[in-house]
Amino acid sequence: MRDAPSDLVEAARAARRVVVLTGAGMSAESGIPTFRGTRSGLWERFDPMALASPSGWAADPELVWGWYLWRVGLVRAAQPNAGHVALAQWARSAPVRVVTQNVDDLHERAGSADVVHLHGSIMAFRCSECGAPYDSGLVVAAAAAASGRPALQVAPPRCRECTSGVVRPGVVWFGESLPLGAFEAAVAAVEEADLVLVVGTSGLVHPAAQLPMVARQVGAFVAEINPEPTQTSGLAHEVWRSTAASAIPALVHTLWTPPCKDTPLEGF
Ligand code: APR
């Protein structure tokens, strides 16, 4: 287990309120692909405008629905990694809130109760016309039947309430607004925090990318956990070039290991 940077440990020990901002890198070690910065990134392999935008949905709802069924299958097959688990453990003994850009449910499945989803949830579905929620169990079953192929065209189901609309994923597409109150809740949490940990995000997508700056403006200690440099790195007081599943358990382990007192040797 790699040692946590001492400045971060000190800030974490002193912190009254901690906010952990997570991005796709948080779930990378659970086998869920990130979007950028690697050949296997989703936006290296697929066109975001065709698959994650209102215009793409209008142009070919079957292609979009089939792609999201594939992603639902990836999330269902994934397990929370040691980083998700360590965050949930940490929150049991300290005021730690998670603000995530991720649409997977791995933080919740690891036991995190207080999670703000800025970009919605891939396990929530609603009618594209009347907004009525749609049973995720039916979608999970359809995802299993779609046999894990990303480019399958599958007709989205009809809304059972209004019967005229078709069902869409409950995620935020490019050009759409964030869920009502989500960003406000994230800003409020960061404004109260004295430690903000930024894990696994390239810091490219707004408004989420503004949160580390808000943290600096309120005087919080900002630390980044990411194996690569990002747009946030220059803002951080501490940059830990490590991964979520290595670094977060190492930090939490250190926090739970009482600091050795500099007590002088006695009896010598
Ligand atoms: N641990 C920590 N960080 C990692 C790991 C890991 N194991 N693996 C990769 N990373 C880092 C990468 O270095 C990169 O900086 O995670 C980051 C992933 O960046 P993106 O793929 O851009 O993901 P994210 O920043 O979450 O994207 C934001 O863009 O497409 C939209 O809505 C989508 O929420 C997403 C948003």
Side-chain angles (χ1 to χ4, degrees):
M1 188 175 284
R2 299 191 39 196
D3 290 346
S6 55
D7 287 356
L8 172 55
V9 171
E10 199 178 316
R13 285 199 203 286
R16 288 168 301 104
R17 285 195 178 81
V18 179
V19 168
V20 184
L21 303 176
T22 66
M26 181 77 226
S27 299
E29 287 154 290
S30 295
I32 295 182
T34 59
F35 295 93
R36 304 171 183 86
T38 160
R39 274 200 307 276
S40 60
L42 290 177
W43 301 148
E44 311 297 332
R45 292 187 284 159
F46 302 101
D47 173 3
M49 286 304 123
L51 294 166
S53 75
S55 58
W57 171 251
D60 192 341
E62 296 192 3
L63 178 69
V64 174
W65 185 251
W67 191 67
Y68 276 92
L69 286 184
W70 171 68
R71 287 186 66 198
V72 167
L74 289 179
V75 170
R76 296 288 297 169
Q79 292 301 320
N81 62 54
H84 294 105
V85 172
L87 276 187
Q89 288 171 338
W90 188 10
R92 286 202 277 277
S93 61
V96 175
R97 294 192 70 182
V98 175
V99 172
T100 189
Q101 297 171 85
N102 297 343
V103 294
D104 65 55
D105 57 356
L106 296 184
H107 281 302
E108 289 85 350
R109 285 164 56 192
S112 288
D114 187 357
V115 181
V116 176
H117 278 272
L118 293 174
H119 294 166
S121 166
I122 203 166
M123 298 312 286
F125 304 90
R126 67 175 188 270
C127 174
S128 48
E129 299 275 326
C130 72
Y134 186 81
D135 179 356
S136 62
L138 296 175
V139 180
V140 168
S147 68
R149 284 178 289 164
L152 205 61
Q153 291 196 297
V154 179
R158 271 225 178 266
C159 173
R160 299 187 161 189
E161 298 298 318
C162 70
T163 68
S164 64
V166 288
V167 175
R168 59 159 284 177
V171 301
V172 178
W173 283 330
F174 287 106
E176 291 189 319
S177 309
L178 272 57
L180 195 62
F183 188 63
E184 292 72 14
V187 170
V190 166
E191 287 179 334
E192 288 174 354
D194 30 34
L195 167 62
V196 173
L197 199 48
V198 186
V199 183
T201 179
S202 55
L204 292 170
V205 174
H206 289 261
Q210 294 162 23
L211 292 171
M213 175 59 83
V214 172
R216 283 300 302 253
Q217 286 163 351
V218 297
F221 186 93
V222 177
E224 177 182 62
I225 293 175
N226 194 316
E228 303 293 336
T230 72
Q231 295 291 318
T232 301
S233 302
L235 274 177
H237 295 98
E238 181 71 55
V239 170
W240 188 359
R241 290 281 169 254
S242 182
T243 70
S246 300
I248 301 173
L251 173 62
V252 174
H253 174 77
T254 306
L255 291 177
W256 284 0
T257 307
C260 56
K261 292 268 179 290
D262 298 334
T263 44
L265 282 176
E266 291 176 357
F268 285 87

